[in-house]
Amino acid sequence: MIEVQDLRKSYGKTQAVAGLSFRVEPGEVVGLLGPNGAGKTTTMEILEGLRRPDGGRALVLGRDVSKGLQPVRTRIGIVLQSSALLERATVGELMRLYRLMYPEPQDGTALLQRVGLAEKTDAQVGSLSGGQKQRLAMALAIAGNPDLLFLDEPTANLDPQGRALLWDMVRERVAGTGRAALLTTHSMEEAQALCSRVAIVDHGRLLAMGSPAALVNEHCPGAHVSFETEAQAPVETFAAVEGFQGLEPQPGRSRVHFAAPRLEPLLASLMAAQVAHGFAIENLSVERSTLGDVFLKLTGRELRDA
Ligand SMILES: Nc1ncnc2c1ncn2[C@@H]1O[C@H](COP(=O)(O)OP(=O)(O)OP(=O)(O)O)[C@@H](O)[C@H]1O
């Protein structure tokens, strides 16, 4: 659906995209995950045919972007970062307009219903809230029944309900079909929840790409387990378990911490030690590494303040 090879784009001295290569296959939701200024939007805009690359090659639905995307335009749906919608038109008018541009549009009334804007059909777009505009942008993007969906930070303005709705709509469009979606996000949660594969991008470069689970397994395997136990429990009991990290005194009890490359053997040895020594295990917490840990490891920076 998308094939990007050594893509480059500079603005003056700023190299926004510095040799990116990746593919998006049918049935995939791929996320470009990276901090502000990583080059995500520039990459999307090149793939949407809105910007010319300085170098490299990009094919979208088999069409070279440098030749223009006109022949495949009706197979593409786009949700821009801040949607510049016609503010004076009504929601219904805009939906009718979009549907007219595509050969096989979807049912506009059903789409507006789906995004919770049915009763806003006669309202001017300019009167909608930021989140409502974002929902409308999503409905318009899929009105033409596109094969390929581009979403630039699609949930930045949405409340948790709106975010879950949009995730569902993207999944429904793509899962088990020959369609695909490419989105940008800063949110690890979004990448983890929605994307079949994630490309971690920083300074216009691809640092790693894979499914969220594969990236975590490859770069930050392991898990952290902790639990509370009796304050007087002897430290030697726990120190004998592989992965023991320390005992943290708390009022009237202790919290014991373990970390190991694999969760299952760690839990098994903890259970064996508990049977042998009979200590209490309360308020057990199990934390696996996240994409944020992967990002931290690859760049040395936290994603949110990178
Ligand atoms: N039109 C432009 N003119 C000059 N520089 C630009 C332009 N657009 C982007 N840049 C610069 O290119 C770099 C990449 O920007 P881009 O918007 O692609 O990143 P991004 O990963 O999408 O960031 P964000 O998450 O903030 O949207 C940044 O340093 C940015 O300042």
Side-chain angles (χ1 to χ4, degrees):
M1 307 293 277
I2 299 176
E3 197 178 331
V4 175
Q5 253 171 19
D6 199 27
L7 198 67
R8 289 164 193 277
K9 173 78 186 177
S10 295
Y11 303 103
K13 284 190 183 145
T14 308
Q15 206 175 15
V17 182
L20 263 190
S21 302
F22 65 90
R23 292 170 68 97
V24 177
E25 308 289 347
E28 283 199 304
V29 179
V30 171
L32 299 176
L33 177 70
N36 290 129
K40 305 180 300 292
T41 299
T42 302
T43 304
M44 289 284 263
E45 288 176 348
I46 293 171
L47 298 176
E48 291 160 357
L50 303 175
R51 274 187 201 285
R52 285 193 158 269
D54 300 334
R57 202 165 110 97
L59 296 180
V60 171
L61 296 170
R63 175 86 182 166
D64 192 326
V65 292
S66 65
K67 297 200 172 95
L69 293 177
Q70 203 48 41
V72 292
R73 182 62 70 202
T74 58
R75 295 175 58 201
I76 295 173
I78 299 178
V79 180
L80 293 171
Q81 201 171 95
S82 52
S83 295
L85 301 170
L86 295 170
E87 302 271 303
R88 307 281 283 280
T90 67
V91 169
E93 283 165 351
L94 207 52
M95 178 55 83
R96 276 196 292 283
L97 185 68
Y98 267 68
R99 292 181 69 254
L100 278 174
M101 296 191 287
Y102 294 90
E104 290 172 37
Q106 303 204 73
D107 179 340
T109 309
L111 268 178
L112 290 178
Q113 192 106 35
R114 181 78 207 274
V115 295
L117 291 177
E119 62 277 29
K120 294 281 182 186
T121 304
D122 297 323
Q124 283 194 336
V125 172
S127 72
L128 300 181
S129 72
Q132 286 170 336
K133 281 184 185 161
Q134 195 69 13
R135 287 165 182 248
L136 177 60
M138 177 65 186
L140 295 174
I142 61 172
N145 211 4
D147 292 326
L148 181 59
L149 202 50
F150 288 109
L151 307 114
D152 199 355
E153 287 179 37
T155 58
N157 286 323
L158 294 180
D159 57 19
Q161 237 180 335
R163 199 165 57 152
L165 171 72
L166 186 134
W167 288 353
D168 277 348
M169 290 176 74
V170 174
R171 283 193 202 106
E172 279 166 25
R173 272 212 78 66
V174 172
T177 69
R179 303 191 192 108
L182 179 68
L183 63 115
T184 70
T185 182
H186 305 132
S187 157
M188 293 178 300
E189 194 195 346
E190 180 155 277
Q192 209 134 11
L194 182 58
C195 299
S196 44
R197 283 193 309 145
V198 175
I200 298 185
V201 183
D202 196 17
H203 300 302
R205 293 196 170 79
L206 183 72
L207 301 180
M209 186 162 186
S211 71
L215 286 174
V216 168
N217 274 340
E218 183 182 342
H219 297 281
C220 296
H224 180 249
V225 172
S226 71
F227 57 84
E228 288 174 4
T229 191
E230 300 91 345
Q232 69 281 11
V235 69
E236 308 80 61
T237 313
F238 308 112
V241 178
E242 204 175 329
F244 175 67
Q245 289 206 307
L247 202 120
E248 180 194 347
Q250 295 192 336
R253 57 212 307 134
S254 297
R255 183 160 272 277
V256 206
H257 295 271
F258 298 86
R262 289 186 52 226
L263 176 64
E264 293 74 13
L266 171 60
L267 285 180
S269 28
L270 267 179
M271 291 308 134
Q274 201 236 358
V275 169
H277 302 287
F279 52 81
I281 293 185
E282 286 159 14
N283 293 326
L284 179 75
S285 134
V286 174
E287 285 171 33
R288 288 192 186 265
S289 301
T290 63
L291 280 176
D293 299 316
V294 175
F295 189 85
L296 180 64
K297 172 147 184 241
L298 292 176
T299 67
R301 291 175 293 147
E302 299 271 357
L303 185 56
R304 61 179 169 281
D305 39 59

